[in-house]
Amino acid sequence: MPVALEGYYKDQIFDQRELHFEIGEGESLDLPCGLEKAIQNMEKGEHSIVYLKPSYAFGSVGKEKFQIPPNANLKYEIHLKGFEKAKESWEMNPEEKLEQGTIVKERGTVYFKEGKYKQAALQYKKIVSWLEYESSFPNEDAQKAQALRLASHLNLAMCHLKLQAFSAAIESCNKALELDSNNEKGLFRRGEAHLAVNDFDLARADFQKVLQLYPGNKAAKAQLAICHQRIRKQLAREKKLYANMFERLAEEESKAKAAVAAGDHHAAAEMKDEQKAVAGGQSQVETEA
């Protein structure tokens, strides 16, 4: 959509441009999230003045490029010159979906290389939404569509890893592995996500499968070594925890026997209660483990 805008901070203009962009890509063009939301609610040809609180502007970080300090209130004057509504999935035929998917994938790759992972993820999500439930491709196009879906899920997983959205990364990898169960990148990236959330056994299984299928994958060997190291540390912590519990139980039992021998039955009863509490704690740990 073509938009003319002027941005003001304390009545001083800091941004004056004419842009053509798609909704969802405003951040990559240095537009505040609140401004993009305001534009979505405008009509073609409309002029508007938009006042943005810090949370809808550049927040607590500010914008060094425009010399906007943290927690700044902003004003924008906007002229929405046109509005080109993107086609919905149901409005496109299979050929259009495949053609647009290829274009959008390239755009996502550009964003990814620039470190704009949120914008890249938006592009790959579009492809998935267009192709995931489309089943009317001719044979040759069906293979292209499946390859594009697979690449989109794998690229989405990589974006999620970069954004530390590990559950979403695992979900994208699972989608990719539904299409190709032995996919090297899908298994490796899912292993990375499992490792990041300390699911060491699941991570180990993924890296082991990568090495079983692709023995030359040095990165998987390195990650598998990290898994084994983390598992050993976890077992050592658990062993120490149990050792401390048993040591405390033995100490309390010894004190209780000494109290009985000395005729202090009240103290012995208190110590037995304490022993039960410690044992209960041990049981709880075993249940959680």
Side-chain angles (χ1 to χ4, degrees):
M1 62 181 68
V3 178
L5 61 85
E6 292 180 353
Y8 293 86
Y9 172 60
K10 292 186 175 179
D11 296 325
Q12 296 294 315
I13 191 164
F14 67 86
D15 189 8
Q16 186 174 29
R17 289 181 284 169
E18 287 201 14
L19 300 173
H20 193 288
F21 73 102
E22 290 185 21
I23 293 297
E25 298 179 358
E27 187 178 343
S28 65
L29 296 169
D30 301 310
L31 299 180
C33 64
L35 185 64
E36 192 168 4
K37 289 180 179 178
I39 291 172
Q40 288 183 67
N41 294 318
M42 292 175 63
E43 300 289 338
K44 180 179 177 180
E46 182 179 345
H47 288 77
S48 288
I49 296 177
V50 179
Y51 295 90
L52 299 177
K53 293 181 179 180
S55 58
Y56 289 97
F58 295 121
S60 59
V61 178
K63 194 72 174 177
E64 186 178 352
K65 178 179 178 179
F66 297 136
Q67 297 183 329
I68 302 298
N71 302 313
N73 293 293
L74 303 178
K75 181 181 83 170
Y76 278 88
E77 294 184 8
I78 311 167
H79 176 202
L80 183 58
K81 294 186 173 182
F83 192 93
E84 298 168 13
K85 186 176 181 295
K87 280 188 175 183
E88 299 288 348
S89 178
W90 56 269
E91 294 177 304
M92 291 189 282
N93 61 42
E95 187 178 298
E96 286 177 313
K97 290 179 181 178
L98 195 55
E99 180 183 351
Q100 288 301 309
T102 303
I103 293 169
V104 167
K105 179 176 177 286
E106 291 174 2
R107 190 184 302 156
T109 301
V110 171
Y111 281 134
F112 187 89
K113 288 179 178 178
E114 292 175 349
K116 298 172 180 175
Y117 305 121
K118 287 182 182 178
Q119 287 77 17
L122 284 173
Q123 306 308 312
Y124 301 132
K125 285 178 181 177
K126 286 180 187 178
I127 300 169
V128 170
S129 70
W130 293 338
L131 300 180
E132 193 160 19
Y133 301 109
E134 179 59 67
S135 58
S136 55
F137 291 107
N139 288 338
E140 186 178 340
D141 284 349
Q143 292 178 355
K144 290 179 183 178
Q146 178 154 324
L148 190 55
R149 280 178 61 200
L150 177 61
S152 298
H153 286 305
L154 292 171
N155 291 343
L156 258 178
M158 197 66 214
C159 290
H160 292 318
L161 285 171
K162 292 289 187 182
L163 295 166
Q164 299 187 343
F166 301 116
S167 294
I170 291 168
E171 185 179 345
S172 292
C173 289
N174 287 340
K175 291 284 189 180
L177 292 166
E178 286 176 11
L179 298 171
D180 177 6
S181 60
N182 293 331
N183 186 272
E184 185 175 11
K185 290 179 180 177
L187 290 167
F188 183 83
R189 290 173 188 174
R190 188 173 68 179
E192 285 187 301
H194 283 313
L195 184 57
V197 295
N198 297 329
D199 284 338
F200 302 131
D201 290 333
L202 292 175
R204 178 174 58 182
D206 280 334
F207 294 132
Q208 284 176 335
K209 188 167 183 180
V210 171
L211 290 171
Q212 178 187 346
L213 297 167
Y214 310 96
N217 192 316
K218 293 180 181 179
K221 287 180 183 177
Q223 293 293 78
L224 185 59
I226 291 172
C227 279
H228 287 148
Q229 184 183 31
R230 300 268 181 89
I231 289 170
R232 283 195 297 271
K233 285 184 178 179
Q234 186 179 46
L235 290 173
R237 282 196 299 269
E238 290 174 356
K239 185 177 179 181
K240 185 177 180 181
L241 177 65
Y242 288 130
N244 289 340
M245 284 183 176
F246 289 128
E247 186 178 334
R248 186 178 172 190
L249 281 170
E251 183 182 342
E252 295 300 333
E253 187 175 353
S254 177
K255 287 181 180 178
K257 287 179 179 177
V260 170
D264 191 349
H265 297 288
H266 179 69
E270 284 185 350
M271 288 176 188
K272 284 184 179 180
D273 289 340
E274 192 171 342
Q275 280 182 304
K276 288 179 182 179
V278 172
Q282 178 191 351
S283 176
Q284 178 67 22
V285 169
E286 288 174 349
T287 303
E288 290 174 353

